[in-house]
Amino acid sequence: GENVEQHPSTLSVQEGDSAVIKCTYSDSASNYFPWYKQELGKGPQLIIDIRSNVGEKKDQRIAVTLNKTAKHFSLHITETQPEDSAVYFCAASKGGGSYIPTFGRGTSLIVHP
Amino acid sequence: DTAVSQTPKYLVTQMGNDKSIKCEQNLGHDTMYWYKQDSKKFLKIMFSYNNKELIINETVPNRFSPKSPDKAHLNLHINSLELGDSAVYFCASSQDLRDQPQHFGDGTRLSIL
């Protein structure tokens, strides 16, 4: 089955810095890669996603890049703010009739004011 | 209006008891899921239902029994609770079985004494 590795497990940055979280996946048939943000006491919430026919996608301060050849994708957050502090999860799936998303183990992002 | 709502938010009970967690989504989605998140934040899918039919049943003990009375509801009943069942359980929904973002509830924290 699919295996998703996520790094780093913890990331500490100063407010205003950029943050990058990286994920690799094992199944070359995977074609959908969402990123979720989980705040304390809440469920994960989608922040951005990318499909295999796209190499990069941006939404204001966040962006995701995908390299299908290398089987890795990354989340980039620019101009970090304290409210960006949360746990971030990447996921990969290949759709079809038995859509089973595989999640990475999460990255705890801490943004120091 | 909460899109995916779970009750209760907290559940504290003794080993050996039977308990249920309820989930409802008002998004009109066809597909619903149950996830277990352990103390290290690892998210693991347990079940998936599409239009009230079981699609995915990962290697979960048969003490866990999901029930979907209609496509807006997916409840989780757990028999003979064990210490290892302590975790946060998340319900989620997506539009259908294709690659779609998932909408999560805020979780039910289950603590076994």
Side-chain angles (χ1 to χ4, degrees):
Chain A
E2 175 67 278
N3 181 44
V4 176
E5 300 278 344
Q6 183 173 347
H7 298 281
S9 56
T10 306
L11 180 57
S12 186
V13 300
Q14 287 295 129
E15 183 176 359
D17 288 350
S18 294
V20 180
I21 303 170
K22 298 182 179 181
C23 288
T24 59
Y25 60 100
S26 60
D27 191 338
S28 56
S30 288
N31 53 20
Y32 177 61
F33 308 92
W35 285 89
Y36 293 86
K37 175 184 181 182
Q38 185 179 17
E39 296 176 337
L40 201 61
K42 299 283 187 182
Q45 300 297 314
L46 180 81
I47 54 171
I48 195 166
D49 57 8
I50 192 166
R51 298 183 187 272
S52 59
N53 57 349
V54 175
E56 183 176 0
K57 185 175 177 182
K58 283 184 182 178
D59 183 3
Q60 299 184 343
R61 294 187 298 109
I62 59 172
V64 56
T65 58
L66 171 64
N67 183 328
K68 283 222 73 172
T69 305
K71 290 190 279 190
H72 68 69
F73 56 114
S74 301
L75 177 72
H76 304 253
I77 306 174
T78 58
E79 299 171 28
T80 53
Q81 299 165 5
E83 50 265 38
D84 294 330
S85 297
V87 179
Y88 291 81
F89 292 94
C90 63
S93 70
K94 55 185 175 183
S98 58
Y99 166 72
I100 304 178
T102 301
F103 282 79
R105 288 191 162 267
T107 295
S108 179
L109 173 64
I110 304 163
V111 180
H112 299 280
Chain B
D1 254 359
T2 305
V4 180
S5 58
Q6 297 178 227
T7 54
K9 191 168 175 66
Y10 300 97
L11 192 47
V12 181
T13 190
Q14 298 208 327
M15 231 172 18
N17 284 350
D18 303 338
K19 289 293 177 187
S20 292
I21 307 171
K22 295 186 175 182
C23 179
E24 176 182 3
Q25 54 95 2
N26 63 5
L27 296 166
H29 287 169
D30 287 345
T31 311
M32 296 184 73
Y33 311 81
W34 277 110
Y35 285 87
K36 179 180 181 180
Q37 186 173 51
D38 62 22
S39 57
K40 294 186 179 179
K41 297 288 187 182
F42 182 51
L43 267 171
K44 183 165 171 53
I45 193 163
M46 300 172 70
F47 301 103
S48 170
Y49 270 71
N50 188 62
N51 278 320
K52 303 192 299 175
E53 302 228 353
L54 180 65
I55 301 298
I56 296 165
N57 181 352
E58 292 294 282
T59 49
V60 178
N62 57 16
R63 298 182 294 104
F64 290 79
S65 52
K67 282 194 172 45
S68 183
D70 55 62
K71 72 175 193 179
H73 295 84
L74 180 61
N75 304 322
L76 184 65
H77 188 76
I78 316 169
N79 288 328
S80 304
L81 282 157
E82 299 178 357
L83 287 175
D85 297 333
S86 294
V88 181
Y89 292 85
F90 286 100
C91 176
S93 72
S94 64
Q95 189 169 344
D96 50 43
L97 279 172
R98 295 171 297 170
D99 297 328
Q100 298 289 342
Q102 299 194 342
H103 298 254
F104 285 81
D106 282 339
T108 295
R109 182 174 292 277
L110 175 61
S111 300
I112 310 300
L113 304 177

